[in-house]
Amino acid sequence: MTSTKPYSIAKRVVWEAYQLVRANRGAAGVDDETIAMFEQNLSGNLSKLWNRMSSGSYFPPPVKQVEIPKAKGGTRKLGVPTVSDRVAQSVVKLMIEPTLDPIFHEDSYGYRPGKSAKQAIAVTRTRCWKYDWVVEFDIKAAFDQIDHALLLKAVRHHIKEGWILLYIERWLTAPFETAEGASLPRMRGTPQGGVVSPILMNLFMHYAFDSWMQRTWPQSPFARYADDAVVHCRSLAQAQAVMQAIEVRLAECGLTMHPEKSKIVYCKDGKRTGTYPNVQFTFLGFTFRPRRALSKHRRLFTSSSFHQYSY
């Protein structure tokens, strides 16, 4: 399309972005506007958004901060953008995903087209047959701790469109607004709950972990889903070295390995009979544990319940 606007953004992309937001539903942001309310003046709202994004005058509103309970206690802070801002973020996601997704590691499974937690579980199951040790780790508050300078360096390396860079920077620094109405500035992180946050997280982790792991420990395959990952090793010594190296690498990138959710696990079974403190682990809600049933397939995982696999 032809436009006199400084930035060329096709109106059809804004429409496609709205369709995605509508399909995903979601709560209202700081303006209390629901999707149904947004749709009462759909054409006008989408036209206004397109005009502002195309002219460079779009400034995202604050992100509504909500706390949801964690399964094992405590709360997780989520950021809820307004409906209009979710459409704007979806526009950018539609534009950058075809460029970024192909560069991601094949064993990065979170928030990607054609990838899933089930695939991560399946490949982990298969690798536990072949490797005696697993390094399981989680990153503490990963979405909240992403270093903006490092992230933007990675974004600029792959994305050249000025308007996309402009809006990503604005989204990263848009403040939180609490339930009490307080405005909290943001110097790090990308809100968990934002449309563009998952792909930015994957880009950051691609350089902070995936490609580093491939270069440094190519003999140790891994599966990562956002901030949760497992790495397979041949020996306890290798697992210890890998875990220490990962902890140092994450710290270099401004991240912290979660001390209570990270450990080294021995894949004990009928043929691997050593005695070690950790012989089971949980990855993406599935528990992998030893199986003692007498069978020539002792080393294979078999489903013992919906959320458990035995090796």
Side-chain angles (χ1 to χ4, degrees):
M1 61 173 288
T2 302
S3 172
T4 59
K5 301 288 185 181
Y7 302 120
S8 179
I9 303 173
K11 289 184 177 179
R12 64 168 177 79
V13 178
V14 178
W15 175 254
E16 290 172 10
Y18 153 71
Q19 295 283 2
L20 291 175
V21 171
R22 186 174 186 272
N24 290 331
R25 309 307 298 175
V30 293
D31 59 0
D32 293 325
E33 183 179 49
T34 63
I35 292 178
M37 294 165 64
F38 183 84
E39 290 175 338
Q40 290 177 4
N41 184 22
L42 181 60
S43 179
N45 285 330
L46 293 181
S47 293
K48 181 169 65 176
L49 180 62
W50 174 79
N51 269 296
R52 289 180 177 176
M53 292 189 74
S54 298
S55 65
S57 62
Y58 177 73
F59 287 88
V63 179
K64 183 178 181 180
Q65 187 182 76
V66 297
E67 295 187 5
I68 61 171
K70 292 183 179 180
K72 297 183 179 180
T75 60
R76 183 189 306 277
K77 293 181 179 179
L78 298 182
V80 182
T82 63
V83 174
S84 181
D85 195 46
R86 294 207 294 275
V87 176
Q89 290 191 38
S90 296
V91 169
V92 167
K93 181 176 181 290
L94 284 170
M95 297 298 294
I96 66 177
E97 191 168 65
T99 298
L100 295 182
D101 192 75
I103 73 165
F104 294 156
H105 194 280
E106 64 180 356
D107 282 315
S108 168
Y109 293 92
Y111 314 117
R112 296 181 59 192
K115 296 283 189 176
S116 69
K118 288 184 178 180
Q119 291 174 337
I121 292 295
V123 75
T124 298
R125 180 185 181 189
T126 299
R127 287 168 178 166
C128 280
W129 305 340
K130 303 175 182 178
Y131 293 80
D132 292 356
W133 295 88
V134 168
V135 174
E136 173 199 10
F137 75 93
D138 184 275
I139 301 171
K140 192 173 183 179
F143 278 89
D144 297 332
Q145 296 302 317
I146 289 177
D147 183 285
H148 286 175
L150 291 177
L151 174 57
L152 289 171
K153 179 181 179 181
V155 172
R156 294 188 187 105
H157 180 69
H158 296 283
I159 305 299
K160 305 305 178 184
E161 292 88 344
W163 66 274
I164 293 178
L165 300 175
L166 175 71
Y167 294 132
I168 287 177
E169 289 192 52
R170 290 179 182 176
W171 280 315
L172 290 176
T173 55
F176 277 128
E177 185 174 300
T178 68
E180 294 75 27
S183 180
L184 304 178
R186 290 192 12 251
M187 307 305 293
R188 301 179 69 85
T190 180
Q192 191 168 357
V195 174
V196 79
S197 292
I199 195 169
L200 294 180
M201 155 67 86
N202 273 334
L203 179 61
F204 188 87
M205 289 303 299
H206 173 75
Y207 288 106
F209 177 75
D210 299 354
S211 61
W212 170 83
M213 192 72 192
Q214 193 171 25
R215 292 192 312 272
T216 311
W217 300 94
Q219 72 276 34
S220 295
F222 67 88
R224 181 181 63 80
Y225 194 101
D227 55 353
D228 198 0
V230 293
V231 181
H232 301 269
C233 299
R234 295 289 185 188
S235 67
L236 175 58
Q238 184 186 54
Q240 291 170 333
V242 167
M243 189 169 191
Q244 183 178 18
I246 293 172
E247 185 174 15
V248 171
R249 173 61 178 177
L250 293 177
E252 291 173 348
C253 298
L255 301 174
T256 303
M257 181 182 286
H258 200 299
E260 298 172 1
K261 297 181 180 180
S262 304
K263 61 185 178 183
I264 295 173
V265 179
Y266 179 58
C267 296
K268 187 173 183 177
D269 64 9
K271 295 184 178 180
R272 295 177 287 196
T273 59
T275 301
Y276 296 95
N278 297 319
V279 294
Q280 69 178 41
F281 65 97
T282 300
F283 181 45
L284 302 178
F286 287 77
T287 298
F288 293 83
R289 64 182 186 179
R291 177 177 181 271
R292 301 194 178 197
L294 294 177
S295 167
K296 65 180 180 180
H297 300 298
R298 286 177 180 178
R299 298 188 65 176
L300 303 185
F301 282 72
T302 57
S303 179
S304 56
S305 74
F306 183 72
H307 290 295
Q308 293 182 334
Y309 284 103
S310 300
Y311 48 75

